[in-house]
Amino acid sequence: MTDASRWALVTGASAGIGAAFARELAARGHHLVLTARREDRLQSLAGELRQRHGVRCEVAAADLADPAAIDALCNELGRRSLNIDVLVNNAGYGVPGHYLAQPWTRHAEFLQVLVTAPCELAYRLLPGMQQRRYGRILNIASLAGHVPGSAGHTMYAASKAFLIKFSQSLALENQQYGIKVCAVCPGFTWSEFHDVVGSRESVNKMPKWMWMSAEEVAREGVDATERGEIVHVTGKVNRAIKALIKLLPDRMGLNIVQRRSKDFRVQEPK
């Protein structure tokens, strides 16, 4: 990814993994469109990227929980005459507690952000990529999409497993157009995610060797996409965990996750 004429759109770019992907792409010469809810953070990051890397950087604040947000965002891209060749579907969060602990409206917003928005953005931007015979779509999934579901954060692993399968099909459909699609699957990553969902105290007790920085995840993710990998689990430890889970009988894997859920998922009081 070195063609400076290419524009990349990064969702959830205001912090964490999204901001790291924006920095990584800017360092490789891409112009950026940054989107998230917090415009002040986006403007700060945009200023940093312009100054450090000399790239163009546009800000388009949006709340992807709004079903109308993608249409408005794509219209804004058209108004600014920006052709997106690299899409990083990163926006996401977790809904803590058990399934019935939250109102359905909150679950519906979660699905809108983590499932519907990435699919709609890919649908809206793919025709241009196909026409230009170049494109990259990075769907930020998770190691959670490869292991059994846990108690708490009920739809998180399910949404990430969906992104993995979606990425596989999309990649196979678009190879002939010079488009590469990759589901990037981080494990535990230093970011604001665990602070937002309230699991920071629990996950901080986990060994340091299980963690990666957001910068490492972004660098691995971009490199894997360029190599043509369709699914990439970041980090040797996470790849070992995935391999081990695949070898275990389903019941044993589920029992392990059941015993350890409290270490990384917010639980409800019984």
Side-chain angles (χ1 to χ4, degrees):
M1 292 185 182
T2 57
D3 187 340
S5 67
R6 306 288 186 188
W7 280 87
L9 169 64
V10 181
T11 71
S14 59
I17 293 175
F21 268 100
R23 291 186 175 101
E24 183 66 26
L25 290 168
R28 299 183 187 218
H30 277 269
H31 303 311
L32 273 299
V33 179
L34 309 176
T35 188
R37 291 178 301 166
R38 295 174 288 189
E39 185 170 4
D40 57 336
R41 288 200 176 192
L42 295 177
Q43 293 290 0
S44 176
L45 178 58
E48 171 197 324
L49 298 181
R50 293 186 195 110
Q51 183 175 15
R52 179 174 297 179
H53 301 292
V55 297
R56 294 174 61 189
C57 201
E58 301 273 347
V59 167
D63 182 357
L64 299 188
D66 180 357
I70 299 300
D71 188 59
L73 176 59
C74 290
N75 288 338
E76 184 63 19
L77 293 174
R79 188 186 70 81
R80 301 187 196 185
S81 300
L82 301 175
N83 294 319
I84 302 300
D85 286 314
V86 180
L87 169 62
V88 181
N89 278 316
N90 167 77
Y93 58 97
V95 177
H98 290 185
Y99 193 45
L100 296 181
Q102 302 289 347
W104 173 249
T105 51
R106 191 167 186 196
H107 292 311
E109 288 181 347
F110 173 89
L111 290 173
Q112 177 67 36
V113 174
L114 275 85
V115 176
T116 303
C119 292
E120 186 177 356
L121 268 175
Y123 188 87
R124 297 288 295 269
L125 298 178
L126 264 171
M129 294 181 184
Q130 290 180 352
Q131 185 177 24
R132 293 185 294 274
R133 296 279 166 168
Y134 181 93
R136 304 289 186 264
I137 298 177
L138 291 76
N139 292 317
I140 311 309
S142 172
L143 177 63
H146 293 284
V147 302
S150 64
H153 299 244
T154 317
M155 291 195 295
Y156 185 79
S159 71
K160 298 303 187 180
F162 174 90
L163 279 182
I164 292 167
K165 296 300 183 183
F166 174 62
S167 299
Q168 290 172 330
S169 295
L170 209 60
L172 297 180
E173 292 175 3
N174 287 277
Q175 286 176 338
Q176 61 183 313
Y177 299 105
I179 296 170
K180 297 179 180 180
V181 182
C182 182
V184 181
C185 304
F188 291 105
T189 306
W190 297 111
S191 70
E192 294 181 352
F193 177 89
H194 298 287
D195 300 304
V196 173
V197 301
S199 59
R200 174 60 63 194
E201 183 177 353
S202 297
V203 297
N204 275 355
K205 298 175 184 177
M206 301 183 71
K208 296 294 186 289
W209 51 263
M210 293 191 68
W211 292 83
M212 293 180 68
S213 70
E215 291 73 22
E216 290 172 316
V217 168
R219 184 169 56 254
E220 270 200 38
V222 175
D223 286 342
T225 304
E226 284 303 299
R227 287 194 301 269
E229 293 188 39
I230 296 175
V231 178
H232 179 76
V233 177
T234 61
K236 293 180 180 178
V237 170
N238 296 321
R239 289 192 286 274
I241 292 172
K242 178 197 170 188
L244 176 61
I245 289 293
K246 286 186 68 175
L247 292 174
L248 294 176
D250 290 346
R251 181 176 295 181
M252 184 178 295
L254 193 59
N255 286 340
I256 291 172
V257 172
Q258 182 180 16
R259 292 196 300 270
R260 301 307 300 268
S261 287
K262 66 181 185 302
D263 295 334
F264 56 89
R265 293 286 185 251
V266 176
Q267 302 291 298
E268 293 179 315
K270 296 182 178 180

